[in-house]
Each structure stands twice: as C-alpha cells, then as structure tokens.
Amino acid sequence: MSHTVKIIDHDGQEHVLEATIGFSLMEIIRDAGLEIEAICGGCCACATCHCYVHDDWFSRLSPADDDEESMLDQAFDIKKIQDYPVKFHLQKSWMV
C-alpha cells in the first residue's frame, strides 16, 4: 500500500510525497529532493529542520522534551505549532 504526505514549502508550494512507514518526515522530505537543511543529519541537535504542524495533526505527536524545547528556543520565526520532522516517524495508524 502506498502512502503520501502533504508538505507545504517555504514558498507556499504544496508537494505530495510518497511516504514509507517508519521513515522520519525529515528523511521523506530530504529523499524527495526538497530543500531541508538538517545540518545534524537527523539527531535533533541543531533546529535547522524544524517545521510547522497543522492543528489536526499536532495532538498525535509526542510532546517535545527539554532538549527539543531548548533547540527550538534557538530557532528563528518560532510559532506555537512547531516541532521537528526528524522525530515524526510515519505510523500506519496515522494514515487516512
């Protein structure tokens, strides 16, 4: 079964990407060739891959731990509904 995720980039362009269960959202975006910095390579240590999550999906994510909060404190243009795509590992239960 094929799964997809919808990504809206910095320019507001919508992308529908093929998604593999178990892969992180950061990996899916990077492997699709979209621009995502992710300097630390997915270790949740630099805040360069932070993203905004739609209200409908935010409640499905685990809360940010102290280290993640600390990294987000250093990021620019922070908004309330924000987290790291590296920690979103696609789950079958999320598929609609």
Side-chain angles (χ1 to χ4, degrees), residues 42-79:
C43 296
C44 238
C46 69
T48 58
C49 74
H50 66 276
C51 65
Y52 302 104
V53 179
H54 192 279
D55 287 334
D56 294 347
W57 288 91
F58 202 74
S59 65
R60 300 177 192 206
L61 305 175
S62 58
D65 63 26
D66 290 341
D67 290 337
E68 292 165 341
E69 288 288 349
S70 178
M71 282 291 107
L72 287 173
D73 286 343
Q74 299 174 41
F76 296 103
D77 195 27
I78 297 300
K79 297 178 183 175

Side-chain angles (χ1 to χ4, degrees), residues 77-92:
D77 195 27
I78 297 300
K79 297 178 183 175
K80 182 178 185 262
I81 301 171
Q82 182 161 333
D83 217 319
Y84 291 105
V86 70
K87 59 178 259 202
F88 307 152
H89 287 84
L90 227 56
Q91 299 177 27
K92 199 172 238 181

Side-chain angles (χ1 to χ4, degrees), residues 31-46:
D31 292 351
L34 296 181
E35 184 179 335
I36 187 165
E37 200 163 351
I39 290 173
C40 71
C43 296
C44 238
C46 69

